[in-house]
């Protein structure tokens, strides 16, 4: 916020909470499910006010996949800009409505389904900037689409939030930085969690420490969910800028949470490049990021900056998302304002979703037993049929087998056992009772999952690891701090913090440890200064100094 906006913010909040509502100010009567960003959408929204070159390219890429809602004050001027750039006006719709800024990710509507897939509705939070026109945009979208809208604007459900600081997996897990707590100081964390659960079905809300060099503290600047179990995470060179705190936050997630499938999250690293002068944010450089991308059905649009870094980022996206059209848009002009593609787009989810959720099969040594493939498949009218397609040669036709409804929404089938050295490619297709067909991955058959049947060679085990602590990070620390520990065998350990006088301050962990694990210190509860983290392990002790800012 500008200094003037900071002064205006208290009165803006009072007005936001007292305005008459166009929506529903109590939670949905039936269970809500906040949709994930990789699910099918009907429309993508942008706000036509600045950076028209970038907006034009977004519209060009998105209109082939979905409708594009353009907030504007003069539709003829927008049409002239688009046609002048050779952009088709197919699927472009214009919403004449008041707004203040381009950052519609933050002030725009969110999407929920009641009873998982039965009916689409919108969610409107109190925008965390005193910009009343921006804050009114969800009401404009509600009026244009006719969708019901629930508002977290009236006590006790009033909640200040911002779209760039929220992601979810579509099954009740949400991610934010602790900005959500800082911006709602009159509410406890439990109260925030309750509102998110009642309005959006978030039953597990993971909150990470804010980053020291990210001035807006929005998680979309350094991470993105690619599917139910995969985190795309920005990576700086060792020790640079927000790299240590990002890594500590991700290690905290990996150590304490599993995906909706009950297995550890997969992490894919993608570079956080320096700016044109070679500077990173800790040296005043722009906060360049590749995670600030947006799904538009079978296309993903990401920011680009410089070919020497862009080529790596695009390769990572294509490997992680087979079959997707990957579109890069130069964002050097907008990134100094701390935002890129994700920040200036917002989805309206599909009104008639056919949901398919599946945990991809992993590589295996099994060459004798069939490979079970299970999926959760749902539609408001029910599922008529589901089919599993597979092949072991991309030059050969797909083979198919019917999936069986095991129970409820659960469907299953198998792929026949294959010899070692085989790569298996597969995807799932389902049809609802109403006749709608959907595939997963959404890009199938051009995109697909794959796994390898490995040759059963002898495995070499690495016994070179020694007992001890790896480097603590971030160091200096102010917040969540990761302490990596290794013991060769199941051993009793004690990890404690000691001040410079040699006095015990707190015990982080005391108990058994086997192999490599990570423990965490929340240094916000400690006074600034130098401390020692000590680990007792059997007859040995290991120490490291850590500086608390």
């Amino acid at each position: 916020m500008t200094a003037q906006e900071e002064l205006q913010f208290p009165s803006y909040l009072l007005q936001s909470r007292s305005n008459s509502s166009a929506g529903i100010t109590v939670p949905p009567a039936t269970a809500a499910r906040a949709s994930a960003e990789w699910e099918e959408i009907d429309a993508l929204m942008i706000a036509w006010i600045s950076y028209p070159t970038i907006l034009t390219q977004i519209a060009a890429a998105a209109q082939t996949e979905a409708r594009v809602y353009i907030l504007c004050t003069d539709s003829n001027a927008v049409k002239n800009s688009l046609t002048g750039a050779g952009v088709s006006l197919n699927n472009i719709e214009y919403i004449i409505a008041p707004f203040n800024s381009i950052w519609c990710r933050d002030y725009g509507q969110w999407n929920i389904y009641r009873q998982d897939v039965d009916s689409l509705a919108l969610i409107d939070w109190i925008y965390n900037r005193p910009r009343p026109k921006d804050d009114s945009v969800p009401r404009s979208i509600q009026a244009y689409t006719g969708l019901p809208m629930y508002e977290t604007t009236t006590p006790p459900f009033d909640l200040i939030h911002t779209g760039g600081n929220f992601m979810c997996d579509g099954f009740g897990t949400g991610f934010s930085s602790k900005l959500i707590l800082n911006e709602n100081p009159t509410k406890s964390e439990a109260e925030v969690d309750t509102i998110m659960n009642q309005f959006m079905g978030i039953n597990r809300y993971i909150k990470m420490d804010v980053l020291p060099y990210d001035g807006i503290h929005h998680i979309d600047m350094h991470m993105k969910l690619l599917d139910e179990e995969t985190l795309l995470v920005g990576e700086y060179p060792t020790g640079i800028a927000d790299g240590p705190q990002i890594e500590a936050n991700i290690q905290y997630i990996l150590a304490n949470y599993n995906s909706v499938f009950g297995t550890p999250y997969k992490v894919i690293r993608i570079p956080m490049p320096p700016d044109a002068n070679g500077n990173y944010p800790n040296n005043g450089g722009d906060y360049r990021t590749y995670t600030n991308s947006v799904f538009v059905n079978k296309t993903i649009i990401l920011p680009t900056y410089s070919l020497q870094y862009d080529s790596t980022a695009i390769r990572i996206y294509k490997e992680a998302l087979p079959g997707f059209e990957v579109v890069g848009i130069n964002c050097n002009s907008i990134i100094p304002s701390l935002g890129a593609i994700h920040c200036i787009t917002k989805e309206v989810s599909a009104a008639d979703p056919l949901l398919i959720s599946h945990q991809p099969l992993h590589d295996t040594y099994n060459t004798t037993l069939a490979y079970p493939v299970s999926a959760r498949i749902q539609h408001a009218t029910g599922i008529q049929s589901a089919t599993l397609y597979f092949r072991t040669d991309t030059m050969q036709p797909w083979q198919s087998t019917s999936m069986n409804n095991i129970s409820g929404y659960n469907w299953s089938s198998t792929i026949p056992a294959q010899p070692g050295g085989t790569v298996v490619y597969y995807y799932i297709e389902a049809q609802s009772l109403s006749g709608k067909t959907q595939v997963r991955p959404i890009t199938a058959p051009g995109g697909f999952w794959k796994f390898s049947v490995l040759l059963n060679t002898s495995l070499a085990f690495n016994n070179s690891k020694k007992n001890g602590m790896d480097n603590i990070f971030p160091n200096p620390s102010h917040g969540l701090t990761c302490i990596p520990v290794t013991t060769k065998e199941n051993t009793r350990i004690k990890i404690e913090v000691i001040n410079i006088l040699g006095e015990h301050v707190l015990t982080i962990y005391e108990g058994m440890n086997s192999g490599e694990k990570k423990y965490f210190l929340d240094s916000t509860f400690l006074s600034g200064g130098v401390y020692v983290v000590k680990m007792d392990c059997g007859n040995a002790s290991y120490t490291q100094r850590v500086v608390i800012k």
Side-chain angles (χ1 to χ4, degrees):
M1 286 184 279
T2 64
Q4 183 179 6
E5 285 180 329
E6 289 182 359
L7 293 174
Q8 294 171 340
F9 197 62
S11 59
Y12 158 79
L13 287 180
L14 288 175
Q15 183 178 2
S16 296
R17 289 167 171 144
S18 61
N19 279 345
S20 59
S21 172
I24 306 164
T25 58
V26 295
T30 55
R33 182 183 72 86
S35 61
E37 292 183 29
W38 57 81
E39 294 182 37
E40 182 186 5
I41 67 171
D42 283 342
L44 185 75
M45 179 181 76
I46 56 178
W48 199 276
I49 192 172
S50 52
Y51 307 103
T53 300
I54 295 174
L55 293 176
T56 297
Q57 293 177 75
I58 291 173
Q63 59 87 23
T64 63
E65 295 283 353
R67 298 194 297 274
V68 179
Y69 292 161
I70 301 182
L71 289 170
C72 58
T73 56
D74 183 352
S75 61
N76 288 325
V78 177
K79 291 175 186 177
N80 290 337
S81 293
L82 294 174
T83 55
V87 177
S88 169
L89 300 184
N90 292 335
N91 269 347
I92 306 289
E93 300 179 21
Y94 310 91
I95 302 177
I96 308 300
F99 60 100
N100 299 105
S101 72
I102 195 173
W103 311 110
C104 61
R105 171 65 49 180
D106 295 331
Y107 59 72
Q109 71 292 330
W110 207 264
N111 302 273
I112 63 164
Y113 292 106
R114 288 168 293 191
Q115 295 293 357
D116 291 340
V117 293
D118 281 2
S119 56
L120 176 65
L122 306 177
I123 296 290
D124 180 23
W125 301 321
I126 298 174
Y127 183 33
N128 69 344
R129 296 287 185 268
R131 299 168 189 165
K133 292 180 182 179
D134 282 350
D135 198 28
S136 71
V137 165
R139 298 183 183 187
S140 299
I141 299 300
Q142 186 276 328
Y144 187 80
T145 61
L147 294 167
M149 185 168 72
Y150 295 86
E151 297 187 359
T152 62
T153 56
T154 304
F157 305 116
D158 51 321
L159 184 73
I160 303 165
H161 209 345
T162 177
N165 191 38
F166 179 73
M167 293 182 188
C168 67
D169 68 352
F171 292 99
T173 298
F175 296 83
S176 289
S177 79
K178 291 179 181 176
L179 175 68
I180 178 65
L181 303 179
N182 299 337
E183 291 187 330
N184 292 276
T186 63
K187 297 193 185 301
S188 66
E189 183 172 0
E191 289 172 324
V192 169
D193 290 350
T194 297
I195 294 171
M196 292 294 287
N197 176 261
Q198 291 178 317
F199 281 82
M200 302 190 69
I202 300 301
N203 51 45
R204 189 176 63 158
Y205 200 2
I206 301 171
K207 306 173 194 72
M208 296 164 283
D209 281 6
V210 299
L211 306 181
Y213 297 102
D214 172 13
I216 56 173
H217 305 314
H218 293 181
I219 62 172
D220 65 354
M221 294 298 284
H222 68 274
M223 69 173 285
K224 186 174 190 68
L225 282 166
L226 297 184
D227 57 35
E228 295 93 330
E229 64 175 352
T230 307
L231 305 177
L232 182 70
V233 178
E235 183 176 46
Y236 285 102
T238 302
I240 295 295
D242 284 331
Q245 191 62 62
I246 291 172
E247 189 61 25
N249 289 347
I250 295 303
Q251 293 300 333
Y252 168 75
I253 292 172
L254 297 178
N256 291 278
Y257 300 97
N258 284 329
S259 72
V260 67
F261 303 123
T263 52
Y265 284 101
K266 300 176 183 177
V267 177
I268 297 175
R269 312 286 180 172
I270 194 165
M272 300 285 279
D275 68 10
N277 297 316
N279 293 323
Y280 289 99
N282 56 309
N283 289 320
D286 292 333
Y287 210 99
R288 285 180 167 183
T289 169
Y290 291 112
T291 63
N292 202 265
S293 58
V294 65
F295 284 102
V296 192
N297 294 329
K298 299 177 185 180
T299 292
I300 189 160
I301 309 171
L302 69 148
T304 57
Y305 310 97
S306 173
L307 182 60
Q308 62 176 315
Y309 306 112
D310 298 342
S311 56
T312 298
I314 291 171
R315 174 182 57 78
I316 290 170
Y317 268 98
K318 287 184 175 181
E319 290 177 354
L321 299 168
F324 275 83
E325 181 72 19
V326 179
V327 178
I329 295 177
N330 189 301
C331 285
N332 282 312
S333 61
I334 195 173
I335 201 63
S337 298
L338 294 175
I341 301 299
H342 192 255
C343 298
I344 58 175
T345 54
K346 200 65 180 280
E347 306 86 356
V348 176
S349 294
D352 183 34
L354 198 166
L355 178 66
I356 303 175
S357 179
H358 163 71
Q359 183 180 31
L361 300 185
H362 297 282
D363 293 350
T364 179
Y365 287 98
N366 170 30
T367 60
T368 58
L369 300 176
Y371 313 111
V373 176
S374 60
R376 172 175 173 168
I377 307 177
Q378 291 177 259
H379 186 267
T381 64
I383 300 301
Q384 174 70 41
S385 63
T387 306
L388 171 64
Y389 291 87
F390 64 93
R391 63 186 178 185
T392 59
D393 185 339
T394 56
M395 301 302 293
Q396 296 299 317
W398 293 96
Q399 300 181 61
S400 65
T401 180
S402 295
M403 300 184 75
N404 299 311
N405 182 218
I406 304 303
S407 64
Y409 308 123
N410 300 312
W411 293 72
S412 180
S413 189
T414 59
I415 296 172
Q418 302 293 328
T422 303
V423 178
V424 181
Y425 310 88
Y426 72 101
Y427 70 93
I428 295 169
E429 180 182 83
Q431 186 176 66
S432 71
L433 290 171
S434 65
K436 176 166 183 171
T437 298
Q438 184 58 278
V439 291
R440 185 81 188 272
I442 197 172
T443 55
F448 40 74
W449 294 297
K450 66 178 181 179
F451 66 93
S452 296
V453 182
L454 304 174
L455 295 171
N456 193 13
T457 57
S458 59
L459 302 178
F461 293 95
N462 181 4
N463 293 316
S464 62
K465 284 284 187 180
K466 297 181 179 179
N467 295 339
M469 285 190 294
D470 289 335
N471 290 334
I472 294 171
F473 62 90
N475 191 4
S477 164
H478 181 67
L480 195 66
T481 307
C482 183
I483 305 168
V485 166
T486 301
T487 57
K488 290 183 64 176
E489 54 192 28
N490 200 30
T491 308
R492 176 168 290 279
I493 66 170
K494 179 180 181 181
I495 305 172
E496 59 182 327
V497 177
I498 299 168
N499 64 22
I500 57 174
L501 300 177
E503 299 169 334
H504 172 83
V505 176
L506 62 90
T507 298
I508 296 172
Y509 175 77
E510 186 170 9
M512 304 304 290
N513 185 86
S514 178
E516 299 179 4
K517 289 189 179 178
K518 295 176 176 66
Y519 300 92
F520 296 89
L521 163 67
D522 187 351
S523 63
T524 54
F525 296 100
L526 299 179
S527 301
V530 178
Y531 294 81
V532 173
V533 175
K534 178 184 177 185
M535 182 181 83
D536 292 323
C537 176
N539 296 322
S541 292
Y542 307 88
T543 61
Q544 278 190 51
R545 293 203 318 163
V546 61
V547 178
I548 308 300
K549 294 193 292 185

